[in-house]
Every structure is written in structure tokens, then in C-alpha cells.
Short mmCIF file of all heavy atoms in Angstrom, two decimals:
data_model
loop_
_atom_site.label_atom_id
_atom_site.label_comp_id
_atom_site.label_asym_id
_atom_site.label_seq_id
_atom_site.Cartn_x
_atom_site.Cartn_y
_atom_site.Cartn_z
N ARG A 1 9.12 28.28 -8.82
CA ARG A 1 9.72 27.45 -7.77
C ARG A 1 9.87 28.38 -6.43
O ARG A 1 9.42 27.85 -5.42
CB ARG A 1 10.98 26.82 -8.10
CG ARG A 1 11.47 25.95 -7.05
CD ARG A 1 12.89 25.41 -7.37
NE ARG A 1 12.91 24.67 -8.74
CZ ARG A 1 13.96 24.18 -9.31
NH1 ARG A 1 15.15 24.28 -8.57
NH2 ARG A 1 13.93 23.61 -10.47
N GLN A 2 10.31 29.46 -6.47
CA GLN A 2 10.50 30.35 -5.43
C GLN A 2 9.15 30.77 -4.86
O GLN A 2 8.89 30.79 -3.62
CB GLN A 2 11.30 31.61 -5.85
CG GLN A 2 11.62 32.62 -4.67
CD GLN A 2 12.27 33.92 -5.19
OE1 GLN A 2 12.64 34.06 -6.31
NE2 GLN A 2 12.37 34.94 -4.15
N LEU A 3 8.29 31.16 -5.81
CA LEU A 3 6.94 31.61 -5.32
C LEU A 3 6.21 30.43 -4.70
O LEU A 3 5.52 30.59 -3.68
CB LEU A 3 6.22 32.28 -6.41
CG LEU A 3 6.84 33.58 -7.04
CD1 LEU A 3 6.10 33.94 -8.25
CD2 LEU A 3 6.68 34.61 -6.01
N TYR A 4 6.22 29.17 -5.36
CA TYR A 4 5.48 28.10 -4.84
C TYR A 4 6.03 27.83 -3.30
O TYR A 4 5.27 27.43 -2.57
CB TYR A 4 5.66 26.88 -5.62
CG TYR A 4 5.16 25.62 -5.06
CD1 TYR A 4 3.89 25.41 -4.80
CD2 TYR A 4 6.09 24.81 -4.33
CE1 TYR A 4 3.37 24.35 -4.09
CE2 TYR A 4 5.72 23.56 -3.73
CZ TYR A 4 4.27 23.43 -3.53
OH TYR A 4 3.88 22.26 -2.89
N GLY A 5 7.42 27.89 -3.23
CA GLY A 5 7.84 27.57 -1.88
C GLY A 5 7.27 28.55 -0.82
O GLY A 5 6.92 27.95 0.35
N ALA A 6 7.16 29.80 -1.12
CA ALA A 6 6.56 30.69 -0.09
C ALA A 6 5.20 30.31 0.03
O ALA A 6 4.53 30.47 1.17
CB ALA A 6 6.64 32.10 -0.64
N TYR A 7 4.47 29.96 -1.00
CA TYR A 7 3.05 29.51 -0.81
C TYR A 7 2.90 28.32 0.01
O TYR A 7 2.02 28.23 0.95
CB TYR A 7 2.39 29.32 -2.29
CG TYR A 7 1.14 28.53 -2.28
CD1 TYR A 7 -0.08 29.11 -1.93
CD2 TYR A 7 1.16 27.19 -2.70
CE1 TYR A 7 -1.27 28.36 -1.89
CE2 TYR A 7 0.09 26.39 -2.67
CZ TYR A 7 -1.25 27.02 -2.29
OH TYR A 7 -2.44 26.31 -2.32
N ASP A 8 3.74 27.38 -0.29
CA ASP A 8 3.55 26.05 0.47
C ASP A 8 3.87 26.20 1.93
O ASP A 8 3.31 25.57 2.81
CB ASP A 8 4.50 25.02 -0.24
CG ASP A 8 4.11 23.60 0.27
OD1 ASP A 8 2.98 23.28 0.27
OD2 ASP A 8 5.09 22.75 0.61
N GLU A 9 4.84 27.06 2.20
CA GLU A 9 5.15 27.33 3.57
C GLU A 9 3.96 28.06 4.35
O GLU A 9 3.86 27.80 5.58
CB GLU A 9 6.44 28.18 3.75
CG GLU A 9 7.66 27.33 3.37
CD GLU A 9 8.92 28.32 3.42
OE1 GLU A 9 8.78 29.47 3.73
OE2 GLU A 9 10.02 27.83 2.95
N SER A 10 3.23 28.69 3.62
CA SER A 10 2.21 29.35 4.25
C SER A 10 0.98 28.59 4.58
O SER A 10 -0.08 28.77 5.37
CB SER A 10 1.79 30.56 3.44
OG SER A 10 1.07 30.11 2.16
N ARG A 11 0.89 27.29 3.96
CA ARG A 11 -0.25 26.41 4.20
C ARG A 11 -0.17 25.64 5.47
O ARG A 11 0.93 25.32 5.98
CB ARG A 11 -0.31 25.52 3.03
CG ARG A 11 -0.74 26.08 1.76
CD ARG A 11 -0.61 25.05 0.64
NE ARG A 11 -1.61 24.00 0.92
CZ ARG A 11 -2.92 23.96 0.55
NH1 ARG A 11 -3.39 25.03 0.02
NH2 ARG A 11 -3.67 22.95 0.93
N GLU A 12 -1.13 25.24 6.05
CA GLU A 12 -1.26 24.34 7.14
C GLU A 12 -1.71 22.95 6.54
O GLU A 12 -2.53 22.89 5.91
CB GLU A 12 -2.28 24.88 8.21
CG GLU A 12 -1.83 26.18 8.92
CD GLU A 12 -3.00 26.62 9.90
OE1 GLU A 12 -3.84 25.79 10.20
OE2 GLU A 12 -2.79 27.61 10.53
N GLY A 13 -0.87 22.06 7.11
CA GLY A 13 -1.13 20.66 6.88
C GLY A 13 -0.45 20.17 5.61
O GLY A 13 -0.59 18.91 5.19
N GLY A 14 0.32 21.03 4.94
CA GLY A 14 1.06 20.54 3.72
C GLY A 14 0.11 20.15 2.57
O GLY A 14 -0.99 20.42 2.34
N GLY A 15 0.69 19.31 1.57
CA GLY A 15 -0.03 18.78 0.45
C GLY A 15 -0.32 19.87 -0.61
O GLY A 15 -1.18 19.71 -1.37
N GLY A 16 0.43 20.88 -0.54
CA GLY A 16 0.02 22.03 -1.45
C GLY A 16 0.28 21.72 -2.88
O GLY A 16 -0.49 22.13 -3.72
N PHE A 17 1.35 21.02 -3.25
CA PHE A 17 1.66 20.91 -4.71
C PHE A 17 0.59 20.11 -5.35
O PHE A 17 0.04 20.52 -6.26
CB PHE A 17 2.93 20.12 -4.85
CG PHE A 17 3.38 20.14 -6.38
CD1 PHE A 17 4.16 21.09 -6.96
CD2 PHE A 17 3.06 19.00 -7.05
CE1 PHE A 17 4.48 21.02 -8.36
CE2 PHE A 17 3.43 18.93 -8.37
CZ PHE A 17 4.08 19.89 -9.00
N CYS A 18 0.08 18.96 -4.72
CA CYS A 18 -0.84 18.03 -5.42
C CYS A 18 -2.27 18.67 -5.33
O CYS A 18 -3.02 18.17 -6.20
CB CYS A 18 -0.81 16.71 -4.56
SG CYS A 18 0.65 15.77 -5.03
N ARG A 19 -2.65 19.60 -4.55
CA ARG A 19 -3.88 20.29 -4.58
C ARG A 19 -3.80 21.58 -5.41
O ARG A 19 -4.88 21.99 -5.92
CB ARG A 19 -4.16 20.59 -3.13
CG ARG A 19 -4.45 19.42 -2.28
CD ARG A 19 -5.17 19.79 -1.06
NE ARG A 19 -5.45 18.47 -0.27
CZ ARG A 19 -6.45 17.59 -0.37
NH1 ARG A 19 -7.34 17.78 -1.34
NH2 ARG A 19 -6.53 16.55 0.44
N LEU A 20 -2.60 22.03 -5.70
CA LEU A 20 -2.51 23.09 -6.57
C LEU A 20 -2.35 22.94 -7.99
O LEU A 20 -2.87 23.71 -8.88
CB LEU A 20 -1.35 24.05 -6.06
CG LEU A 20 -1.16 25.52 -6.60
CD1 LEU A 20 -2.28 26.29 -6.22
CD2 LEU A 20 0.20 26.13 -6.16
N TYR A 21 -1.71 21.78 -8.40
CA TYR A 21 -1.42 21.49 -9.80
C TYR A 21 -2.31 20.28 -10.25
O TYR A 21 -2.66 19.46 -9.49
CB TYR A 21 0.16 21.11 -9.86
CG TYR A 21 0.89 22.40 -9.84
CD1 TYR A 21 1.45 22.71 -8.50
CD2 TYR A 21 1.25 23.24 -10.81
CE1 TYR A 21 2.26 23.91 -8.28
CE2 TYR A 21 2.05 24.40 -10.74
CZ TYR A 21 2.45 24.67 -9.38
OH TYR A 21 3.21 25.87 -9.31
N GLY A 22 -2.40 20.17 -11.58
CA GLY A 22 -3.24 19.14 -12.07
C GLY A 22 -2.43 17.98 -12.57
O GLY A 22 -1.19 17.88 -12.49
N PRO A 23 -3.14 16.81 -12.96
CA PRO A 23 -2.40 15.67 -13.27
C PRO A 23 -1.41 15.72 -14.48
O PRO A 23 -0.64 14.80 -14.59
CB PRO A 23 -3.61 14.63 -13.61
CG PRO A 23 -4.72 15.64 -13.99
CD PRO A 23 -4.56 16.71 -13.23
N GLU A 24 -1.36 16.70 -15.17
CA GLU A 24 -0.43 16.82 -16.31
C GLU A 24 1.06 17.02 -15.77
O GLU A 24 2.02 16.76 -16.50
CB GLU A 24 -0.70 18.18 -17.20
CG GLU A 24 -0.57 19.53 -16.62
CD GLU A 24 -1.63 19.87 -15.72
OE1 GLU A 24 -2.84 19.14 -15.54
OE2 GLU A 24 -1.59 20.87 -15.16
N GLU A 25 1.17 17.31 -14.38
CA GLU A 25 2.42 17.26 -13.73
C GLU A 25 3.02 15.94 -13.33
O GLU A 25 4.13 15.85 -13.00
CB GLU A 25 2.39 18.22 -12.45
CG GLU A 25 2.05 19.66 -12.81
CD GLU A 25 3.04 20.44 -13.48
OE1 GLU A 25 4.30 19.95 -13.42
OE2 GLU A 25 2.78 21.37 -14.21
N ILE A 26 2.25 14.90 -13.38
CA ILE A 26 2.56 13.51 -13.01
C ILE A 26 3.63 12.91 -13.93
O ILE A 26 4.66 12.48 -13.41
CB ILE A 26 1.36 12.66 -12.89
CG1 ILE A 26 0.46 13.12 -11.72
CG2 ILE A 26 1.83 11.19 -12.58
CD1 ILE A 26 -0.82 12.31 -11.63
N PRO A 27 3.36 12.93 -15.23
CA PRO A 27 4.53 12.08 -16.06
C PRO A 27 5.88 12.65 -15.94
O PRO A 27 6.83 11.92 -15.74
CB PRO A 27 3.91 12.42 -17.48
CG PRO A 27 2.42 12.54 -17.34
CD PRO A 27 2.18 13.28 -16.07
N GLY A 28 6.13 13.97 -15.76
CA GLY A 28 7.48 14.49 -15.77
C GLY A 28 8.16 14.29 -14.40
O GLY A 28 9.36 14.38 -14.47
N ASN A 29 7.41 13.72 -13.40
CA ASN A 29 8.09 13.43 -12.21
C ASN A 29 8.26 12.01 -11.93
O ASN A 29 8.68 11.69 -10.70
CB ASN A 29 7.11 14.20 -11.04
CG ASN A 29 7.39 15.69 -10.87
OD1 ASN A 29 8.34 16.08 -10.39
ND2 ASN A 29 6.36 16.43 -11.44
N ILE A 30 7.79 11.20 -12.77
CA ILE A 30 7.86 9.74 -12.52
C ILE A 30 9.31 9.20 -12.47
O ILE A 30 9.65 8.34 -11.54
CB ILE A 30 7.08 9.04 -13.57
CG1 ILE A 30 5.57 9.23 -13.34
CG2 ILE A 30 7.37 7.42 -13.47
CD1 ILE A 30 5.06 8.80 -11.99
N GLY A 31 10.24 9.71 -13.25
CA GLY A 31 11.60 9.31 -13.27
C GLY A 31 12.20 9.36 -11.87
O GLY A 31 12.80 8.48 -11.34
N GLY A 32 12.15 10.53 -11.24
CA GLY A 32 12.58 10.81 -9.88
C GLY A 32 11.92 10.00 -8.88
O GLY A 32 12.54 9.49 -7.88
N PHE A 33 10.64 9.74 -8.98
CA PHE A 33 9.76 8.93 -8.10
C PHE A 33 10.28 7.47 -8.07
O PHE A 33 10.60 6.89 -7.06
CB PHE A 33 8.31 8.97 -8.45
CG PHE A 33 7.53 8.05 -7.70
CD1 PHE A 33 7.32 8.04 -6.38
CD2 PHE A 33 6.88 6.99 -8.36
CE1 PHE A 33 6.63 7.21 -5.51
CE2 PHE A 33 6.09 6.06 -7.71
CZ PHE A 33 5.86 6.14 -6.33
#
């Protein structure tokens, strides 16, 4: 999480998580969504 935060802040235009990770990350985030 710490390293991803540094990576995402270095990107222009945002959208880092959804371009970096695959669809296997979707199910575990649906409850919060």
C-alpha cells in the first residue's frame, strides 16, 4: 500500500490502480463499493 501510494502519486492523470492490477482485485472491493 505504501509503495503503491508513491507510485500512484508519480503518475499523471491518475487511474493507476485499475491499470496496474488485474480483474481478480474486483470481487474483494465490491462490499465497500
